Amino acid sequence: MSRFLAVLFVLCFMSCNTNKIKIKEVPIKSEKVVIAHRGASGYLPEHTLPSKAMAYAMNVDFIEQDIVLSKDNVPFVIHDIHLETVTNVAVIFPNRNRNDGKFYAIDFTFDELKQLNVSERFDLATNEAIFPKRFPIFKSNFRLHSFQEEIEMIQGLNKSTGKNIGIYPEIKEPEFHQKEGKDISKIVLDVLTKYGYKTKNDNCILQCFDAKELKRIRDKFKSELFLVQLIEFEEEELKLEEFAEYADGIGPWIEQIITGKDKNGKWLISDLVVNAHKNNLKVHAYTFRADQLGGFNTFEELLNIALYEANIDGVFTDFPDKVIDFINKN
Ligand code: CA
């Protein structure tokens, strides 16, 4: 063999080898979508920036934001339209509740909201944690933050890490906001546009339980974003064709897909996923919690049936690391 050919051979061998190593090092991206439900909320208080950063570090596909408006129209990130189950609002602003006893976020300016401490979710009546094995209630220092602040953190991390992790905002209770004289969808869509989330290619999925509002987002606002219609009732399962006219996916709860057990103890799977797929709708189901198994022996059993027997496309989970581990092993 000539020296030239020998060198060529070695180079080829090296490059083939490098390719092999590369293939091993880069995990094949799963088709299944992992959504950090309120952040890595199984480990840190839901919807805090630290819980979002932790979820980011777990390499999720999307991080969820529930959006509510303040009195001065700042979209901020919290699960409920009232504040008292995850903050110390009752201590800081004791007389600001409405007649039903609740402290509505919309009655507070964003500056006031920033003064509150955020806690792991607790039961108002007993003052006990809803999830006793999680982060303790009212420890450390967590604050509420705006939707823009969270987008800037995720986009900042995308820049500094070179990853491209998406956002998955939910417009909360648009009808309530409308009654209070506020168009939450317009405000959220304006923020999304400003930060570059405009089309299905922009790594943003927008979700809402209110079908009328999601349709309005498509029809009136002409949004080209990926839209997910959240559902919770049986009668909604019959409206898939209607949803498919404006939405790209549905977000049912687990029990709408895995409906129970037959007399032999085998899990029963509804036809919701099959029907959704026939209508070209993706299915992202909620909420997968390793500390709330609902009759399953293990979290892996639940994930296996939902992801591979029922064939859902994505999961909202409080424990993104466990779901990603499971998917990578399967
Ligand atoms: Ca949500």
Side-chain angles (χ1 to χ4, degrees):
M1 196 189 296
S2 77
R3 194 165 165 194
F4 172 71
L5 275 178
V7 169
L8 201 66
F9 179 76
V10 168
L11 278 177
C12 175
F13 180 78
M14 277 172 66
S15 90
C16 293
N17 237 10
T18 321
N19 278 346
K20 257 187 202 157
I21 290 165
K22 261 190 191 160
I23 287 163
K24 262 190 181 171
E25 277 177 353
V26 180
I28 298 157
K29 188 101 173 130
S30 164
E31 295 286 301
K32 306 292 186 186
V33 171
V34 180
I35 306 137
H37 179 250
R38 311 182 200 172
S41 56
Y43 304 101
L44 280 165
E46 64 183 53
H47 282 318
T48 57
L49 284 179
S51 85
K52 304 303 171 85
M54 188 174 185
Y56 190 100
M58 291 171 172
N59 287 331
V60 294
D61 297 291
F62 293 92
I63 298 173
E64 190 203 25
Q65 300 80 29
D66 289 315
I67 314 288
V68 168
L69 293 182
S70 69
K71 188 178 187 174
D72 48 346
N73 295 332
V74 177
F76 76 104
V77 184
I78 192 168
H79 181 262
D80 304 318
I81 55 170
H82 43 89
L83 302 161
E84 64 281 353
T85 49
V86 290
T87 74
N88 62 344
V89 65
V91 176
I92 307 293
F93 300 105
N95 302 314
R96 299 274 297 274
N97 54 306
R98 290 192 186 183
N99 290 339
D100 62 3
K102 293 179 176 170
F103 296 77
Y104 286 78
I106 213 157
D107 295 334
F108 295 81
T109 64
F110 188 58
D111 270 352
E112 288 173 331
L113 293 168
K114 281 267 188 191
Q115 296 170 40
L116 303 179
N117 265 110
V118 176
S119 164
E120 177 64 35
R121 183 170 285 272
F122 58 95
D123 182 325
L124 265 183
T126 62
N127 235 17
E128 307 249 335
I130 299 289
F131 296 99
K133 290 184 178 164
R134 297 191 181 181
F135 199 87
I137 60 172
F138 285 113
K139 294 290 180 189
S140 191
N141 180 12
F142 301 101
R143 300 278 157 171
L144 295 168
H145 60 273
S146 69
F147 184 33
Q148 294 92 320
E149 286 168 326
E150 182 161 335
I151 291 176
E152 287 179 12
M153 188 186 79
I154 292 170
Q155 292 192 342
L157 281 165
N158 281 343
K159 177 170 183 281
S160 60
T161 64
K163 293 187 220 169
N164 186 17
I165 286 176
I167 62 169
Y168 206 131
E170 177 184 345
I171 293 176
K172 300 296 286 197
E173 307 213 22
E175 210 177 305
F176 167 81
H177 282 90
Q178 203 72 52
K179 277 184 195 143
E180 298 285 327
K182 298 183 190 302
D183 190 345
I184 183 171
S185 295
K186 178 169 187 343
I187 290 171
V188 168
L189 286 168
D190 284 349
V191 170
L192 289 172
T193 301
K194 184 182 163 217
Y195 282 93
Y197 300 106
K198 294 172 191 166
T199 74
K200 289 178 213 237
N201 298 320
D202 293 327
N203 226 0
C204 169
I205 296 181
L206 186 60
Q207 47 167 338
C208 191
F209 272 105
D210 187 325
K212 209 167 78 236
E213 189 71 2
L214 203 63
K215 195 169 172 350
R216 177 175 171 252
I217 287 168
R218 185 70 89 210
D219 295 345
K220 181 170 178 245
F221 291 109
K222 309 274 177 233
S223 173
E224 292 172 35
L225 289 167
F226 194 104
L227 301 182
V228 163
Q229 178 65 60
L230 298 170
I231 61 172
E232 57 188 323
F233 304 114
E234 220 179 312
E235 59 264 29
E236 293 171 308
E237 294 167 21
L238 304 171
K239 294 183 180 168
L240 295 178
E241 273 180 45
E242 213 175 291
F243 297 154
E245 285 170 17
Y246 60 87
D248 305 286
I250 56 164
W253 58 312
I254 302 166
E255 286 80 353
Q256 289 180 290
I257 294 162
I258 308 169
T259 53
K261 277 182 175 174
D262 68 13
K263 57 181 188 317
N264 301 317
K266 191 175 158 22
W267 288 104
L268 295 166
I269 295 168
S270 75
D271 50 11
L272 182 60
V273 180
V274 171
N275 290 341
H277 287 167
K278 274 186 201 154
N279 282 284
N280 213 14
L281 293 164
K282 296 282 185 196
V283 180
H284 296 168
Y286 61 89
T287 304
F288 289 75
R289 298 182 164 116
D291 57 354
Q292 198 178 66
L293 292 174
F296 290 87
N297 293 317
T298 62
F299 196 40
E300 289 72 22
E301 183 192 12
L302 165 61
L303 289 170
N304 188 48
I305 291 169
L307 284 166
Y308 300 114
E309 287 191 31
N311 195 27
I312 63 170
D313 305 288
V315 301
F316 287 93
T317 179
D318 296 359
F319 298 87
D321 57 334
K322 291 185 196 292
V323 177
I324 289 167
D325 272 358
F326 176 80
I327 290 172
N328 286 342
K329 277 185 212 144
N330 283 274

